[in-house]
Amino acid sequence: MAHNVLVTGVSRHIGRRVASALAADPDVDRVIGVDTVPPSSLSRDDGTPPLGRTEFVRVDLRSPDVVRVISAADVDTVVHLSLVSGPAKSRSAVKEHNVIGTMQLLAACQRSETVRRVVVRSTTAVYGSSPNAPAVFSEDTEPAEASHHGYEKDAVEVEASVRGFSRRRPDVVTTTLRFAALMGPGVDSPLTRYFSQPVLPSVFGFDPRLQFVHEDDAVEVLGRVARQDHPGVFNVAGDGVLLLSQCARRAGRPVVPVPSPALRILGFSSEQLSLLTHGRVVDAGRLAAELGRRPKFGTAAAFEDFLAVRR
Amino acid sequence: MSEPTGPETSRDAGEAMTELFAFLRRRISGDYEIDEFGFDPEFHDKVLLELLRPLYRHWFRVETLGLENVPVDSGALVVANHSGTLPLDALMLQVASHDEAGRAVRLLGAHLVYQLPVLGHLARKGGHTLACPEDADRLLRKGELVGVFPEGFKGIGKPFSERYRLQRFGRGGFVTSAIRAGVPIVPCSIVGAEEIYPKIGEVPVLARMLGLPYLPITPFFPWLGLFGLVPLPSKWLIEFGEPIRTDEFDPEQADDPAVIFELTDHIRETMQQRLNDVRLRRGPAFQPF
């Protein structure tokens, strides 16, 4: 059977790695990578894997162009990785990219007759961070309070459109993966930038529980669900938990506790602030049972691997 | 008994120092483990309990009864009365479970605890978590000893005149969790906490402004300022009662209000009875040291 995979967000680290892993698989006929910006090079050898035979198409997901890409290439699997957390552009542009982009993509999948599997990258941020929430979130946990914050809200809306899509197209296998914070040598996220600072500001009186997933495990999981049917919603996180203070000590960086309004002035967004206050831990057991495999890196090992290259 | 000889004591001291340094090194390098709830066993044993033990042993002179009713290594739900204005009864239950019963009790606390700086963090380090069905179920499934105070603020914040009278239990959510996990319920009577801060009045307006459930007036607080926060040295008894089995119920009955209310009432009556008995057994609240 022909196996044509469309990967969105291919110019960013995880998207690139997933595309190159799929391109290396002989069972996959074509890998089409799309993004709003071209990848810096299609075959760099600066440590990041080459995209291999991935065909890059520059598409703005907010436009309906993606329909043409899907029908032209007879795409059967869509791996949607382009959820952006960083405030790279203005907040409204990010929101449009995340929410409208997903809606357009799913609308295209809905109309397509070839697509039979959709994988969406989401985040554990959909559970929020709250003192009124359970200590450990499972996939069925309802968020304690509705999220009003940027990235969290985007992810919640993205997941709502995915649910709507899978109701309208029950014949398509949809997988939603809620990733804990990505960690690893190549990851560039607000959290990895935070841990790269010489001094770590923290919220006075709070020591949040954090959980990481190593980029290798993320790529492995995405590759698996892109090639086999694993319908449902799954948390993805490394085993174990680290406190912010433990992370700081392992990184050898001093923590400066400040009252939370001061952190807001320092430029932390509300969702980062609530994460740094109340933390977030999820139960990743459902995915481990589904795939028959636990992540190779636990939370502590993923953080150690991240530190190894920064030192 | 011979006096310890010089070299031995210095070797003991040397070992103690080595151990202390190893402990400090682990703490400073962040090289210790916590569980998913944030429980930090090392910090719990070596710091929190060390701070609480003098209060437990010398101030309240806590005596425990019925330790054989605490399962050695399987899940159980300890249900205790709540009193004393500040939750020192929870802390003393924590010491009693660890030191006398050899189990870390995982208490389910109010939202307020986790909203406050320092307190919420220390509570998690001590192994406690939020009182919600998800956390209770999860801990019980893992075979932990879980502790709840079903009276909540109604119990701990009641006036001195109501002492040793159990208040209304909430919706009986703890019973649901116990049935779902099939673990026994261990009724626990804590006698002594009622007298530590006799609440004779409160300031509801100020409490509302501060977002607190109550702001107490005791014979010593706020009149003596911080000294008013020194708990009165009442004599304490903590009894673990005979376990009430829940595994005879069908897990489906965990959602049946009739079953839940009946069992909740039964537990409440048993606890009130035990509370009266243990209070009689203790005698006067203030006894010579």
Side-chain angles (χ1 to χ4, degrees), chain A residues 132 135 205 209 246 250 283, chain B residues 30 32 36 111 115 118 135 138:
Chain A
N132 306 325
R209 291 164 300 133
Q246 284 181 293
R250 286 171 191 214
D283 180 348
Chain B
Y32 54 90
E36 56 191 3
H111 288 207
Q115 288 160 358
V118 184
D135 286 5
R138 197 172 177 86

Side-chain angles (χ1 to χ4, degrees), chain B residues 65-72 76 78 145 184-187 239-243:
Chain B
L65 305 163
L67 288 171
E68 69 281 1
N69 291 322
V70 182
V72 182
V78 174
L145 184 70
I185 292 176
V186 180
E239 186 204 62
F240 296 97
E242 222 166 281

Side-chain angles (χ1 to χ4, degrees), chain A residues 131-136 141 204-207 209 241-243 245-246 249-250 278 281-283, chain B residues 27-30 32 34 36-38 111 114-115 117-118 121 124-125 129-130 132 134-135 138:
Chain A
N132 306 325
V136 183
T141 319
F204 171 78
F206 291 94
D207 196 1
R209 291 164 300 133
V241 172
L242 283 177
L243 294 175
S245 61
Q246 284 181 293
R249 284 170 200 163
R250 286 171 191 214
H278 305 296
V281 171
V282 299
D283 180 348
Chain B
R27 303 312 295 188
I28 290 169
S29 59
Y32 54 90
I34 59 166
E36 56 191 3
F37 292 87
H111 288 207
Y114 298 93
Q115 288 160 358
V118 184
H121 161 51
R124 287 218 171 277
K125 285 226 158 201
T129 188
L130 183 73
C132 63
E134 291 90 345
D135 286 5
R138 197 172 177 86

